[in-house]
Short mmCIF file of all heavy atoms in Angstrom, two decimals:
data_model
loop_
_atom_site.label_atom_id
_atom_site.label_comp_id
_atom_site.label_asym_id
_atom_site.label_seq_id
_atom_site.Cartn_x
_atom_site.Cartn_y
_atom_site.Cartn_z
N GLU J 1 78.63 105.72 107.98
CA GLU J 1 79.77 104.89 107.65
C GLU J 1 79.39 103.80 106.65
O GLU J 1 80.19 103.41 105.82
CB GLU J 1 80.32 104.25 108.93
CG GLU J 1 80.81 105.24 109.96
CD GLU J 1 81.15 104.56 111.27
OE1 GLU J 1 81.03 103.34 111.37
OE2 GLU J 1 81.54 105.28 112.22
N THR J 2 78.17 103.26 106.76
CA THR J 2 77.81 102.13 105.92
C THR J 2 77.34 102.55 104.54
O THR J 2 77.36 101.76 103.61
CB THR J 2 76.69 101.31 106.59
OG1 THR J 2 75.58 102.16 106.84
CG2 THR J 2 77.18 100.71 107.89
N ILE J 3 76.88 103.76 104.37
CA ILE J 3 76.50 104.25 103.05
C ILE J 3 77.65 105.08 102.49
O ILE J 3 77.97 106.13 103.04
CB ILE J 3 75.21 105.11 103.11
CG1 ILE J 3 74.04 104.26 103.61
CG2 ILE J 3 74.90 105.69 101.75
CD1 ILE J 3 72.75 105.03 103.73
N PRO J 4 78.34 104.59 101.42
CA PRO J 4 79.48 105.33 100.88
C PRO J 4 79.09 106.74 100.48
O PRO J 4 78.06 106.96 99.86
CB PRO J 4 79.87 104.50 99.65
CG PRO J 4 79.26 103.14 99.87
CD PRO J 4 78.02 103.38 100.68
N LYS J 5 79.92 107.66 100.86
CA LYS J 5 79.67 109.05 100.49
C LYS J 5 79.54 109.20 98.99
O LYS J 5 78.78 109.99 98.48
CB LYS J 5 80.80 109.96 101.00
CG LYS J 5 80.91 110.01 102.52
CD LYS J 5 82.08 110.88 102.91
CE LYS J 5 82.25 110.95 104.42
NZ LYS J 5 83.41 111.77 104.82
N SER J 6 80.32 108.36 98.26
CA SER J 6 80.36 108.51 96.82
C SER J 6 79.05 108.14 96.15
O SER J 6 78.79 108.56 95.05
CB SER J 6 81.48 107.66 96.24
OG SER J 6 81.32 106.33 96.67
N ASN J 7 78.23 107.29 96.77
CA ASN J 7 76.96 106.96 96.16
C ASN J 7 76.13 108.22 95.94
O ASN J 7 75.40 108.35 94.98
CB ASN J 7 76.18 105.97 97.04
CG ASN J 7 76.70 104.56 96.91
OD1 ASN J 7 77.60 104.33 96.11
ND2 ASN J 7 76.15 103.64 97.66
N LYS J 8 76.28 109.14 96.88
CA LYS J 8 75.60 110.42 96.73
C LYS J 8 76.38 111.32 95.76
O LYS J 8 75.80 112.04 94.97
CB LYS J 8 75.47 111.11 98.09
CG LYS J 8 74.68 112.41 98.03
CD LYS J 8 74.44 112.99 99.42
CE LYS J 8 75.71 113.49 100.04
NZ LYS J 8 75.46 114.22 101.31
N SER J 9 77.72 111.21 95.83
CA SER J 9 78.56 112.09 95.01
C SER J 9 78.43 111.78 93.53
O SER J 9 78.45 112.68 92.70
CB SER J 9 80.03 111.97 95.44
OG SER J 9 80.19 112.36 96.78
N ILE J 10 78.33 110.50 93.17
CA ILE J 10 78.27 110.13 91.77
C ILE J 10 77.09 110.79 91.07
O ILE J 10 77.16 111.17 89.91
CB ILE J 10 78.18 108.59 91.64
CG1 ILE J 10 79.53 107.96 91.96
CG2 ILE J 10 77.75 108.18 90.24
CD1 ILE J 10 80.62 108.30 91.00
N THR J 11 75.97 110.92 91.77
CA THR J 11 74.79 111.50 91.16
C THR J 11 74.58 112.95 91.57
O THR J 11 73.57 113.55 91.26
CB THR J 11 73.54 110.69 91.57
OG1 THR J 11 73.43 110.68 93.00
CG2 THR J 11 73.64 109.26 91.07
N SER J 12 75.55 113.50 92.28
CA SER J 12 75.40 114.87 92.75
C SER J 12 75.87 115.86 91.70
O SER J 12 76.43 115.49 90.67
CB SER J 12 76.20 115.08 94.04
OG SER J 12 77.57 115.17 93.75
N ASP J 13 75.65 117.12 91.98
CA ASP J 13 76.09 118.18 91.07
C ASP J 13 77.48 118.70 91.45
O ASP J 13 77.94 119.68 90.88
CB ASP J 13 75.09 119.34 91.09
CG ASP J 13 73.74 118.94 90.52
OD1 ASP J 13 73.72 118.07 89.62
OD2 ASP J 13 72.71 119.48 90.98
N GLU J 14 78.13 118.05 92.40
CA GLU J 14 79.46 118.49 92.82
C GLU J 14 80.45 118.28 91.69
O GLU J 14 80.31 117.38 90.86
CB GLU J 14 79.92 117.71 94.06
CG GLU J 14 79.19 118.07 95.33
CD GLU J 14 79.75 117.31 96.52
OE1 GLU J 14 79.96 116.09 96.40
OE2 GLU J 14 79.98 117.93 97.56
N SER J 15 81.49 119.08 91.68
CA SER J 15 82.54 118.92 90.69
C SER J 15 83.33 117.65 90.98
O SER J 15 83.26 117.09 92.08
CB SER J 15 83.49 120.12 90.73
OG SER J 15 84.20 120.14 91.96
N VAL J 16 84.09 117.18 89.97
CA VAL J 16 84.92 116.00 90.16
C VAL J 16 85.93 116.24 91.28
O VAL J 16 86.21 115.35 92.09
CB VAL J 16 85.65 115.65 88.85
CG1 VAL J 16 86.61 114.49 89.07
CG2 VAL J 16 84.65 115.32 87.77
N GLY J 17 86.44 117.47 91.34
CA GLY J 17 87.39 117.79 92.41
C GLY J 17 86.78 117.66 93.79
O GLY J 17 87.38 117.07 94.69
N ALA J 18 85.57 118.19 93.96
CA ALA J 18 84.90 118.09 95.25
C ALA J 18 84.60 116.64 95.60
O ALA J 18 84.70 116.23 96.76
CB ALA J 18 83.62 118.91 95.23
N GLN J 19 84.23 115.84 94.61
CA GLN J 19 83.91 114.44 94.84
C GLN J 19 85.14 113.63 95.27
O GLN J 19 85.03 112.68 96.05
CB GLN J 19 83.33 113.82 93.57
CG GLN J 19 81.96 114.36 93.17
CD GLN J 19 81.49 113.74 91.87
OE1 GLN J 19 81.73 112.57 91.60
NE2 GLN J 19 80.82 114.54 91.05
N THR J 20 86.31 113.99 94.78
CA THR J 20 87.52 113.24 95.07
C THR J 20 88.45 113.95 96.05
O THR J 20 89.59 113.52 96.24
CB THR J 20 88.30 112.99 93.76
OG1 THR J 20 88.59 114.26 93.14
CG2 THR J 20 87.51 112.13 92.80
N ASN J 21 87.96 115.02 96.65
CA ASN J 21 88.79 115.78 97.61
C ASN J 21 90.00 116.41 96.93
O ASN J 21 91.00 116.68 97.57
CB ASN J 21 89.26 114.87 98.74
CG ASN J 21 88.98 115.46 100.10
OD1 ASN J 21 88.31 116.48 100.22
ND2 ASN J 21 89.48 114.82 101.11
N TYR J 22 89.90 116.61 95.62
CA TYR J 22 91.00 117.20 94.83
C TYR J 22 92.29 116.40 95.00
O TYR J 22 93.38 116.96 95.05
CB TYR J 22 91.22 118.66 95.22
CG TYR J 22 90.06 119.55 94.81
CD1 TYR J 22 89.02 119.82 95.71
CD2 TYR J 22 89.98 120.08 93.53
CE1 TYR J 22 87.95 120.62 95.33
CE2 TYR J 22 88.90 120.87 93.15
CZ TYR J 22 87.89 121.14 94.05
OH TYR J 22 86.82 121.92 93.67
N GLN J 23 92.15 115.07 95.05
CA GLN J 23 93.32 114.20 95.22
C GLN J 23 93.40 113.19 94.09
O GLN J 23 92.38 112.64 93.65
CB GLN J 23 93.25 113.46 96.55
CG GLN J 23 93.43 114.34 97.78
CD GLN J 23 93.42 113.55 99.06
OE1 GLN J 23 92.88 112.44 99.11
NE2 GLN J 23 94.03 114.10 100.11
N ILE J 24 94.62 112.94 93.64
CA ILE J 24 94.90 111.88 92.68
C ILE J 24 95.81 110.88 93.38
O ILE J 24 96.85 111.26 93.94
CB ILE J 24 95.59 112.44 91.42
CG1 ILE J 24 94.62 113.40 90.69
CG2 ILE J 24 96.04 111.32 90.49
CD1 ILE J 24 95.26 114.20 89.58
N ILE J 25 95.42 109.62 93.40
CA ILE J 25 96.15 108.60 94.14
C ILE J 25 97.31 108.09 93.29
O ILE J 25 97.12 107.51 92.22
CB ILE J 25 95.23 107.42 94.52
CG1 ILE J 25 93.96 107.95 95.21
CG2 ILE J 25 95.98 106.44 95.42
CD1 ILE J 25 94.22 108.77 96.45
N GLY J 26 98.53 108.33 93.77
CA GLY J 26 99.72 107.94 93.05
C GLY J 26 100.43 106.75 93.66
O GLY J 26 99.87 106.02 94.49
N ILE J 27 101.69 106.56 93.26
CA ILE J 27 102.51 105.47 93.78
C ILE J 27 103.76 106.05 94.43
O ILE J 27 103.71 107.17 94.93
CB ILE J 27 102.84 104.44 92.68
CG1 ILE J 27 103.56 105.12 91.49
CG2 ILE J 27 101.56 103.76 92.19
CD1 ILE J 27 104.06 104.13 90.44
N ASP J 28 104.87 105.30 94.41
CA ASP J 28 106.07 105.77 95.10
C ASP J 28 106.61 107.03 94.42
O ASP J 28 106.60 107.15 93.20
CB ASP J 28 107.14 104.67 95.14
CG ASP J 28 107.39 104.05 93.78
OD1 ASP J 28 106.50 103.33 93.31
OD2 ASP J 28 108.47 104.29 93.22
N PRO J 29 107.10 107.97 95.23
CA PRO J 29 107.49 109.29 94.70
C PRO J 29 108.62 109.24 93.69
O PRO J 29 108.76 110.15 92.87
CB PRO J 29 107.89 110.07 95.96
CG PRO J 29 108.18 109.03 96.99
CD PRO J 29 107.25 107.89 96.69
N GLY J 30 109.45 108.19 93.69
CA GLY J 30 110.57 108.13 92.76
C GLY J 30 110.20 107.61 91.38
O GLY J 30 111.03 107.62 90.47
N ALA J 31 108.97 107.18 91.20
CA ALA J 31 108.56 106.60 89.92
C ALA J 31 108.42 107.69 88.85
O ALA J 31 107.95 108.79 89.13
CB ALA J 31 107.24 105.85 90.07
N GLY J 32 108.79 107.36 87.62
CA GLY J 32 108.71 108.32 86.54
C GLY J 32 107.29 108.78 86.26
O GLY J 32 107.06 109.93 85.87
N ILE J 33 106.32 107.90 86.49
CA ILE J 33 104.93 108.27 86.25
C ILE J 33 104.50 109.39 87.20
O ILE J 33 103.65 110.21 86.86
CB ILE J 33 103.99 107.05 86.41
CG1 ILE J 33 102.60 107.38 85.89
CG2 ILE J 33 103.94 106.56 87.84
CD1 ILE J 33 101.65 106.19 85.86
N MET J 34 105.11 109.45 88.37
CA MET J 34 104.78 110.51 89.32
C MET J 34 105.33 111.85 88.84
O MET J 34 104.70 112.90 89.01
CB MET J 34 105.32 110.16 90.70
CG MET J 34 104.65 108.95 91.34
SD MET J 34 102.92 109.25 91.75
CE MET J 34 103.11 110.13 93.31
N LYS J 35 106.49 111.82 88.23
CA LYS J 35 107.05 113.04 87.66
C LYS J 35 106.15 113.55 86.54
O LYS J 35 105.86 114.75 86.44
CB LYS J 35 108.46 112.78 87.12
CG LYS J 35 109.12 114.00 86.51
CD LYS J 35 110.54 113.68 86.02
CE LYS J 35 111.18 114.91 85.41
NZ LYS J 35 112.56 114.62 84.91
N ALA J 36 105.66 112.63 85.70
CA ALA J 36 104.75 113.02 84.63
C ALA J 36 103.43 113.53 85.19
O ALA J 36 102.83 114.47 84.64
CB ALA J 36 104.51 111.83 83.70
N ALA J 37 102.98 112.93 86.29
CA ALA J 37 101.73 113.36 86.91
C ALA J 37 101.85 114.78 87.45
O ALA J 37 100.93 115.60 87.30
CB ALA J 37 101.34 112.40 88.03
N HIS J 38 102.97 115.09 88.08
CA HIS J 38 103.20 116.46 88.55
C HIS J 38 103.23 117.44 87.37
O HIS J 38 102.70 118.55 87.46
CB HIS J 38 104.52 116.53 89.32
CG HIS J 38 104.44 116.04 90.73
ND1 HIS J 38 103.69 116.67 91.71
CD2 HIS J 38 105.00 114.95 91.32
CE1 HIS J 38 103.80 116.02 92.84
NE2 HIS J 38 104.59 114.97 92.64
N LYS J 39 103.85 117.00 86.28
CA LYS J 39 103.89 117.84 85.08
C LYS J 39 102.48 118.10 84.55
O LYS J 39 102.15 119.20 84.12
CB LYS J 39 104.75 117.17 84.00
CG LYS J 39 104.92 118.00 82.72
CD LYS J 39 105.85 117.31 81.74
CE LYS J 39 106.11 118.19 80.52
NZ LYS J 39 104.90 118.51 79.75
N ALA J 40 101.64 117.06 84.60
CA ALA J 40 100.26 117.22 84.13
C ALA J 40 99.51 118.24 84.96
O ALA J 40 98.75 119.06 84.42
CB ALA J 40 99.55 115.87 84.17
N LEU J 41 99.72 118.21 86.28
CA LEU J 41 99.05 119.19 87.14
C LEU J 41 99.47 120.61 86.77
O LEU J 41 98.65 121.53 86.81
CB LEU J 41 99.37 118.90 88.61
CG LEU J 41 98.84 117.59 89.19
CD1 LEU J 41 99.16 117.50 90.69
CD2 LEU J 41 97.34 117.44 88.97
N GLN J 42 100.74 120.77 86.40
CA GLN J 42 101.22 122.09 85.99
C GLN J 42 100.71 122.46 84.60
O GLN J 42 100.23 123.58 84.39
CB GLN J 42 102.75 122.09 86.01
CG GLN J 42 103.36 121.93 87.39
CD GLN J 42 104.87 121.84 87.34
OE1 GLN J 42 105.47 121.81 86.27
NE2 GLN J 42 105.49 121.81 88.51
N ASP J 43 100.79 121.50 83.67
CA ASP J 43 100.39 121.79 82.29
C ASP J 43 98.92 122.19 82.21
O ASP J 43 98.55 123.06 81.40
CB ASP J 43 100.63 120.57 81.41
CG ASP J 43 102.11 120.28 81.19
OD1 ASP J 43 102.93 121.16 81.50
OD2 ASP J 43 102.43 119.17 80.71
N TYR J 44 98.09 121.54 83.01
CA TYR J 44 96.66 121.82 82.96
C TYR J 44 96.22 122.83 84.03
O TYR J 44 95.03 123.04 84.22
CB TYR J 44 95.87 120.51 83.10
CG TYR J 44 96.02 119.60 81.91
CD1 TYR J 44 97.02 118.63 81.86
CD2 TYR J 44 95.17 119.72 80.81
CE1 TYR J 44 97.18 117.79 80.76
CE2 TYR J 44 95.31 118.88 79.71
CZ TYR J 44 96.32 117.93 79.70
OH TYR J 44 96.47 117.10 78.61
N GLN J 45 97.22 123.39 84.74
CA GLN J 45 96.96 124.42 85.75
C GLN J 45 95.95 123.96 86.80
O GLN J 45 95.02 124.69 87.17
CB GLN J 45 96.49 125.72 85.08
CG GLN J 45 97.51 126.30 84.12
CD GLN J 45 97.05 127.60 83.46
OE1 GLN J 45 95.90 128.00 83.57
NE2 GLN J 45 97.98 128.28 82.78
#
C-alpha cells in the first residue's frame, strides 16, 4: 500500500494501457469533451 504501484510501472516494460488499467479519467457525462473523448476512442480504434 505504501509503495505506489506506478513507481514500478513507470520504469516497467508494461504498455501504457496495462499501467493505467486501460482507463481514461473523464468528467461529467454530459460535457462536450466527453463526447469528443468517446469519438477519439472510436477514431483510434
Side-chain angles (χ1 to χ4, degrees):
E1 299 172 1
T2 57
I3 298 179
K5 296 178 181 178
S6 54
N7 282 357
K8 184 174 69 172
S9 299
I10 286 295
T11 58
S12 75
D13 294 328
E14 289 183 314
S15 67
V16 175
Q19 293 177 36
T20 57
N21 231 7
Y22 292 93
Q23 291 183 337
I24 296 170
I25 309 303
I27 57 173
D28 50 289
I33 191 173
M34 294 293 279
K35 181 179 179 181
H38 281 294
K39 183 176 185 299
L41 295 184
Q42 294 176 355
D43 291 346
Y44 291 91
Q45 299 181 350

